[in-house]
Amino acid sequence: MRRALLRPPHLNRQQARTVLSIDSNGALPITIRNVTKTYGPVHALDNVSLDVKSGEFLTLLGPSGSGKTTLLMVLAGFTRPDCGSLKFGDREVIRTPPHLRDVGMTFQSYALFPHMTVNGNVGYPLRLRKVPKDEIARRVEEALATVQLAGYGNRRIDQLSGGQRQRVAVARAIVFEPRILLMDEPLSALDKKLRDQMQIELRHLHEQLGMTTVYVTHDQREALTMSDRIAVVNHGRIMQLATPRDLYERPANRFVADFIGESTFLSVTRQGKKVLYEGKALKFDTPPPDTDNLLLMIRPERIVLSSGRPAGTSNNFKATATDVVYQGDSFLLHARLPDGNQIVMRGAVRGDRLAQMPTVGDTVTLSLAPEDTVLIDGSED
Ligand code: ADP
Ligand code: MG
């Protein structure tokens, strides 16, 4: 891309903008208000409101059928919602047709034209916009260089690997330098190694180009890796909008806690300002949410095995090891609490620690520091 190629590689985005006077208004904020879309009895989108900041990489994360694609199609203009409003910057666009929205999009299926060459595919949005021929050639070349496909222009789509096709789809989405980029599960068809690599590449591309990006995935790790913020979607509603770290550490409800990472949930009761588990008051740093349906959420990697006398500053749980699994980089311990609840812990495997791996039947003490003692709203949404 012209903007991107201008940027000296040793400058970050902010510096580059200042030095090169790149218009940081190039990106646009997106304001979604009360958008609803029904298909018969199905609420694909149920009163969705969401603000995407200018230049942000925001991910819609949710299970299959939760409404992610529908929301992206509404943003692109291919789906008209039943009601609600949509602004790009100050401009209301809900009635604006797709080609006038200045939005680049990659589709879940890539949707490349199989009978065209790479050049033909990437140049398509420019031909649609009646850009002169020689400029098309130049910009296509730049876009291909940006996605590291320089020299592939004359190949046919069926001569490309999955990863290369995916890059062609990205090149086609960015070739007309849209101010907003939408990507619908662009990596889901790739194998894991390539997916991991492309996650980093797409992230770099976003840093280079700086366009407001809405990215869709059902893969929680991908979302955590790539995003500035994540909106967790379920049944056409936004369950929580937060940074990856806040989402993982402070999920708003049980659905989010379950969907992102693994956890053990224990029922706890409130007694005045105290929170009790099995009659014992828990120590915690962050006050619990105001609900009667409280759960203690325990992430497997936040528990430590106490040997000898457990630290009095932590919450300690006596349990019996029921399963111990060596997994190379770590071990998994399943243990049963006296009340019958199961708790899962992940321990580090290092030379000295391996010796600490318990065996089945051992009585263990599991410790949870107050800062890792997270109390969440137990309701599903
Ligand atoms: P996701 O992308 O999160 O998997 P979608 O947005 O594709 O979910 O779909 C959300 C819900 O809307 C699903 O229940 C789906 O079956 C339904 N849906 C989506 N598009 C249509 C359509 N064109 N006609 C009927 N139902 C649809
Ligand atoms: Mg989808």
Side-chain angles (χ1 to χ4, degrees):
M1 307 297 299
R2 281 172 301 169
R3 278 200 302 266
L5 295 175
L6 275 172
R7 180 168 74 86
H10 58 281
L11 297 183
N12 69 26
R13 192 164 89 208
Q14 205 59 46
Q15 291 166 331
R17 277 190 180 141
T18 315
V19 173
L20 302 171
S21 312
I22 292 175
D23 179 13
S24 57
N25 298 326
L28 279 178
I30 303 172
T31 310
I32 305 166
R33 284 291 173 275
N34 309 107
V35 165
T36 291
K37 177 71 190 173
T38 50
Y39 292 106
V42 177
H43 275 71
L45 296 174
D46 187 359
N47 199 24
V48 169
S49 295
L50 177 65
D51 290 295
V52 188
K53 297 178 200 163
S54 176
E56 181 174 36
F57 194 114
L58 184 133
T59 296
L60 304 174
L61 171 68
S64 176
S66 57
K68 307 181 296 295
T69 294
T70 305
L71 184 52
L72 227 50
M73 289 298 194
V74 167
L75 294 178
F78 296 115
T79 296
R80 174 77 68 87
D82 305 342
C83 59
S85 92
L86 173 63
K87 279 186 177 171
F88 294 165
D90 295 330
R91 190 163 65 109
E92 173 65 53
V93 294
I94 206 86
R95 289 173 198 287
T96 309
H99 67 283
L100 297 178
R101 286 196 183 191
D102 204 6
V103 162
M105 179 159 180
T106 70
F107 297 86
Q108 217 163 341
S109 55
Y110 302 165
L112 296 171
F113 304 114
H115 57 283
M116 285 187 203
T117 60
V118 169
N119 278 339
N121 270 278
V122 177
Y124 182 77
L126 299 176
R127 291 201 297 282
L128 212 62
R129 288 167 174 78
K130 309 259 187 271
V131 174
K133 256 191 171 163
D134 51 340
E135 194 182 338
I136 292 183
R138 189 169 52 73
R139 288 172 72 169
V140 166
E141 206 170 299
E142 283 175 0
L144 287 177
T146 304
V147 298
Q148 295 171 30
L149 277 183
Y152 282 75
N154 292 321
R155 298 259 190 119
R156 280 204 325 268
I157 296 302
D158 59 11
Q159 295 173 315
L160 301 178
S161 71
Q164 290 167 336
R165 287 177 201 196
Q166 194 275 327
R167 285 167 213 239
V168 173
V170 173
R172 186 178 62 181
I174 61 177
V175 73
F176 59 100
E177 304 194 353
R179 307 223 269 179
I180 291 169
L181 179 61
L182 310 174
M183 287 192 268
D184 196 353
E185 311 226 14
L187 307 182
S188 58
L190 308 182
D191 63 41
K192 185 176 171 347
K193 246 207 164 103
L194 187 56
R195 202 162 65 223
D196 290 351
Q197 185 193 329
M198 288 299 301
Q199 285 172 7
I200 306 293
E201 278 185 25
L202 287 180
R203 185 68 230 189
H204 284 165
L205 190 70
H206 174 256
E207 279 164 16
Q208 263 186 2
L209 304 180
M211 51 188 85
T212 307
T213 301
V214 183
Y215 187 93
V216 164
T217 182
H218 63 270
D219 179 338
Q220 45 118 353
R221 188 165 290 278
E222 186 165 302
L224 293 174
T225 303
M226 302 188 71
S227 320
D228 293 323
R229 288 190 303 162
I230 300 169
V232 179
V233 188
N234 193 31
H235 298 310
R237 278 179 295 161
I238 295 187
M239 301 277 107
Q240 187 171 6
L241 171 65
T243 61
R245 181 151 194 176
D246 282 347
L247 213 57
Y248 187 82
E249 314 241 335
R250 301 282 151 190
N253 56 50
R254 169 137 195 185
F255 176 82
V256 175
D258 245 345
F259 197 71
I260 300 184
E262 293 168 76
S263 324
T264 297
F265 299 100
L266 300 175
S267 281
V268 293
T269 51
R270 195 192 284 273
Q271 194 180 78
K273 288 206 153 129
K274 288 185 179 172
V275 175
L276 308 179
Y277 175 68
E278 290 284 290
K280 254 174 76 181
L282 292 171
K283 306 178 183 83
F284 48 84
D285 281 356
T286 308
D290 188 19
T291 164
D292 286 334
N293 189 3
L294 263 192
L295 290 176
L296 168 60
M297 176 188 81
I298 305 178
R299 298 290 197 193
E301 76 285 355
R302 302 294 162 95
I303 311 173
V304 285
L305 269 180
S306 296
S307 49
R309 258 172 69 100
T313 50
S314 287
N315 296 300
N316 298 300
F317 305 89
K318 265 211 160 27
T320 309
T322 55
D323 228 335
V324 185
V325 186
Y326 173 77
Q327 293 187 323
D329 58 348
S330 59
F331 70 87
L332 260 193
L333 162 69
H334 292 249
R336 194 175 53 246
L337 295 163
D339 63 3
N341 274 311
Q342 282 283 340
I343 200 164
V344 184
M345 171 214 162
R346 184 175 291 284
V349 176
R350 290 186 218 105
D352 54 333
R353 292 275 190 86
L354 192 53
Q356 289 182 18
M357 222 170 82
T359 46
V360 172
D362 282 358
T363 299
V364 292
T365 302
L366 306 172
S367 297
L368 193 63
E371 64 266 28
D372 292 323
T373 302
V374 179
L375 297 158
I376 66 162
D377 185 344
S379 53
E380 279 292 325
D381 53 42

